[in-house]
Amino acid sequence: GVEMKLYGSTTSPYARKARVLIKEKNLPCEFVVEDPWPDDSPLIAKNPFSKVPTLEISPGNYLFESHQVVLYLDHVNGKPLMPKDPEGYWQAQWWQAMGNGIIDAGIARIMEIRRPEDKQMPEKIAREEKRIARAIDLAETTLHGWEFLIGNRFSLADLVMGVGLQYTDFRFPHDWRSSHPRLAKWFAGIASRKSFEETLPPGFVQPAE
């Protein structure tokens, strides 16, 4: 197959979902670091929203929404990590919505914190932190305590939830583990996968257990 190109940043959790998947599936895809923020970003010509990840699937042909990029990469070699049975499929969608929601809240929180202090809304920061806390609580009670979230193999559910929790450790480090032992145990297994270790954001420090 033609080598694809994934444009992203090394800290974006949205791009990281795709980067972990590429490594899990050993797909022929080059990772190109491009900053989506400058007004003259080269990404603008590839993606009208100038966001990461942007996936070039053939010369001049781009996908530019992270869920779509992940879906494409999952199906590209005919061996999807998504469960095929209807129940497993929708469970995996549910867990992905949870992981993506944690990422969205984490991004919204850090964007607010990066505003000048006099422009910050503490209630917005608190609202996003509560969203993350509720999602972690729900994950703990929904989790069956096995090695993987669905069945007996790694799926997109594990991938997206894992990226979401690790982004929380990166940008909003706090002790969620001691009160969520099952989730912490599951996550330790996921975070030790080669695909996760090889895509850690620069400067990531593992929170003390």
Side-chain angles (χ1 to χ4, degrees):
V2 176
E3 174 149 334
M4 299 174 286
K5 279 186 184 169
L6 180 77
Y7 297 89
S9 76
T10 53
T11 54
S12 162
Y14 299 113
R16 188 168 182 228
K17 291 188 294 181
R19 291 168 65 208
V20 169
L21 186 52
I22 286 161
K23 288 192 181 289
E24 283 285 341
K25 303 190 73 163
N26 201 15
L27 296 171
C29 185
E30 182 192 348
F31 178 52
V32 182
V33 175
E34 246 170 48
D35 185 352
W37 288 103
D39 287 342
D40 61 350
S41 171
L43 257 184
I44 292 168
K46 306 175 180 86
N47 175 350
F49 307 106
S50 194
K51 283 182 166 181
V52 296
T54 297
L55 181 69
E56 187 169 17
I57 54 177
S58 62
N61 192 3
Y62 302 96
L63 295 179
F64 37 70
E65 198 277 315
S66 75
H67 193 70
Q68 196 180 48
V69 166
V70 166
L71 214 54
Y72 182 87
L73 290 169
D74 195 35
H75 285 87
V76 75
N77 66 351
K79 290 179 254 188
L81 294 179
M82 196 66 174
K84 290 194 178 60
D85 61 295
E87 194 190 353
Y89 176 87
W90 288 111
Q91 279 181 335
Q93 289 286 15
W94 187 90
W95 280 109
Q96 286 180 85
M98 284 273 281
N100 283 317
I102 289 171
I103 291 170
D104 292 343
I107 293 269
R109 176 186 174 274
I110 200 80
M111 292 298 217
E112 193 62 34
I113 284 170
R114 285 177 177 168
R115 287 154 65 96
E117 213 164 316
D118 61 328
K119 301 259 197 316
Q120 286 180 27
M121 293 169 65
E123 65 274 21
K124 171 140 179 74
I125 295 167
R127 187 187 307 135
E128 302 304 341
E129 289 180 357
K130 281 180 191 148
R131 283 181 171 145
I132 293 167
R134 289 193 299 259
I136 289 174
D137 286 347
L138 182 57
E140 175 74 10
T141 55
T142 309
L143 189 73
H144 297 298
W146 296 317
E147 189 182 355
F148 301 113
L149 294 175
I150 300 162
N152 56 3
R153 70 180 193 126
F154 182 83
S155 75
L156 292 186
D158 303 292
L159 186 150
V160 179
M161 254 323 267
V163 169
L165 283 174
Q166 203 145 46
Y167 187 69
T168 304
D169 281 347
F170 179 46
R171 292 294 193 217
F172 175 33
H174 64 286
D175 177 24
W176 56 266
R177 287 168 172 79
S178 55
S179 50
H180 302 86
R182 289 195 301 178
L183 190 64
K185 188 176 177 205
W186 162 82
F187 177 66
I190 298 301
S192 68
R193 292 173 81 85
K194 204 162 162 256
S195 59
F196 273 77
E197 291 186 336
E198 289 177 353
T199 56
L200 281 173
F204 178 81
V205 180
Q206 182 63 44
E209 295 291 319

